[in-house]
Amino acid sequence: METTTAGITIQAPQLDIHTVAAGGGSRLFFRSGLFVVGPESAGASPGPISYRKNGFLAVTDANLVLGRIIPEFFPHIFGKNEDQPLDRQAAVEAMQKVTDEANDFYRNHANVSRPEMTVAETALGFIDVANETMCRAIRSITQSKGHDTSQHVLACFGGAGGQHACAIAKSLGIESVFVHRYSGVLSAYGLALANVVHEAQEPAAKVFSKGEKRKFLHKFQCS
């Protein structure tokens, strides 16, 4: 099937799943007065600023600044030698630079005066944008098709899922959130249990006759 993710059209065999580019590694930008989340990603390496590998400001850093990630609960696997804890101070300093940039922009361009934002408000602004991006994806497969999200349970998974689930559920009017006990590694868990299959595709522009059918079957058996 054909699907579009973050504006990129992809043609590949897949389930009908709507996905968005808004994860822990999604980079954060302030552009023309707007908070922007992704679709560019910091990836696993170098990763977010807090990974101590000269990375980029990302959603993970925003959650760290807001205290939703507690470094003491994470193993010391960061930095060049992968023996350091998460660097909250680096995340705060990077977020401060974006905060200063935003305040300068609003000071020089806004038509009305407004109080200057704090680092925490900037971080929360980015989180709100990321959450809304995920909400739009859910609305596109529920409300846009006549389904009432308030009558459903939000299934939460992924390493950072719990940091966003409640806000997303509130925005969608959902009262219950289900967090699987393997939620942090659910994708890997599912991959380990999945059947191993091989699929091959080849475009063909031929009349489907009995003779061509035999050729097709022979080709499939040999591939």
Side-chain angles (χ1 to χ4, degrees):
M1 64 173 291
E2 180 178 296
T3 186
T4 301
T5 301
I8 305 299
T9 300
I10 301 172
Q11 287 184 326
Q14 58 188 284
L15 296 174
D16 186 11
I17 298 175
H18 191 110
T19 185
V20 294
S26 295
R27 293 178 59 183
L28 310 180
F29 306 93
F30 182 79
R31 293 172 175 163
S32 303
L34 299 174
F35 290 116
V36 179
V37 178
E40 298 91 336
S41 176
S45 181
I49 288 284
S50 54
Y51 281 18
R52 299 176 183 266
K53 292 183 178 180
N54 297 317
F56 305 95
L57 188 64
V59 170
T60 293
D61 297 313
N63 278 316
L64 185 59
V65 169
L66 292 171
R68 298 179 179 182
I69 294 177
I70 303 175
E72 290 77 12
F73 290 175
F74 281 74
H76 291 195
I77 57 173
F78 305 98
K80 182 179 180 180
N81 297 321
E82 299 183 345
D83 58 356
Q84 299 293 311
L86 284 168
D87 191 349
R88 184 178 185 277
Q89 185 58 37
V92 171
E93 292 175 358
M95 194 66 70
Q96 181 66 63
K97 292 181 180 179
V98 178
T99 302
D100 293 340
E101 181 184 352
N103 285 330
D104 287 341
F105 178 90
Y106 293 133
R107 190 182 304 114
N108 297 323
H109 295 83
N111 295 324
V112 294
S113 60
R114 54 173 295 169
E116 292 196 347
M117 292 186 298
T118 64
V119 170
E121 288 172 335
T122 300
L124 185 58
F126 281 120
I127 295 299
D128 287 342
V129 172
N131 288 343
E132 182 55 32
T133 300
M134 289 182 268
C135 284
R136 284 201 301 267
I138 296 173
R139 292 190 186 102
S140 71
I141 61 174
T142 55
Q143 295 174 354
S144 66
K145 297 181 179 180
H147 302 293
D148 184 0
T149 53
S150 66
Q151 301 301 310
H152 292 76
V153 174
L154 180 65
C156 166
F157 67 94
Q163 298 162 29
H164 300 264
C166 291
I168 291 173
K170 182 178 180 180
S171 179
L172 296 171
I174 297 175
E175 296 183 353
S176 299
V177 177
F178 173 70
V179 183
H180 193 278
R181 62 175 177 172
Y182 296 142
S183 62
V185 293
L186 199 60
S187 294
Y189 183 71
L191 182 64
L193 296 178
N195 293 327
V196 178
V197 298
H198 173 75
E199 292 186 3
Q201 292 184 348
E202 182 178 328
K206 295 181 179 294
V207 176
F208 191 70
S209 62
K210 290 184 178 180
E212 292 296 338
K213 179 180 178 180
R214 287 193 293 270
K215 293 180 182 178
F216 284 137
L217 292 175
H218 177 72
K219 190 173 186 63
F220 289 149
Q221 291 170 354
C222 294
S223 60

